[in-house]
Amino acid sequence: MMKMDDLGAESMAQSVEDARLRVLRTDLRTRDLVNQAVASVPTLGLQRAAEFRRR
């Protein structure tokens, strides 16, 4: 049988996991944007690639 404290702990654990996944998704998106900017340096030049990264 679950106690109220167990429910609170489960809720907190889920919140922590949700936050971790949000950070992971953000980091993956940032990684992809940086990779795109770096890959575009030879064709766009450093200045335009940096401008792309700032978006």
Side-chain angles (χ1 to χ4, degrees):
M1 178 175 222
M2 290 190 125
K3 297 177 185 174
M4 183 62 99
D5 288 343
D6 294 337
L7 292 175
E10 277 187 31
S11 178
M12 182 178 286
Q14 185 62 49
S15 294
V16 169
E17 179 65 11
D18 290 347
R20 187 188 72 77
L21 289 174
R22 280 193 300 276
V23 168
L24 178 62
R25 284 191 294 268
T26 300
D27 287 348
L28 293 175
R29 181 175 182 274
T30 301
R31 179 203 64 193
D32 292 343
L33 288 172
V34 169
N35 286 341
Q36 288 174 359
V38 170
S40 68
V41 169
T43 55
L44 297 178
L46 185 57
Q47 183 65 36
R48 298 225 22 227
E51 289 170 3
F52 170 79
R53 172 56 192 101
R54 278 183 265 184
R55 294 183 193 174

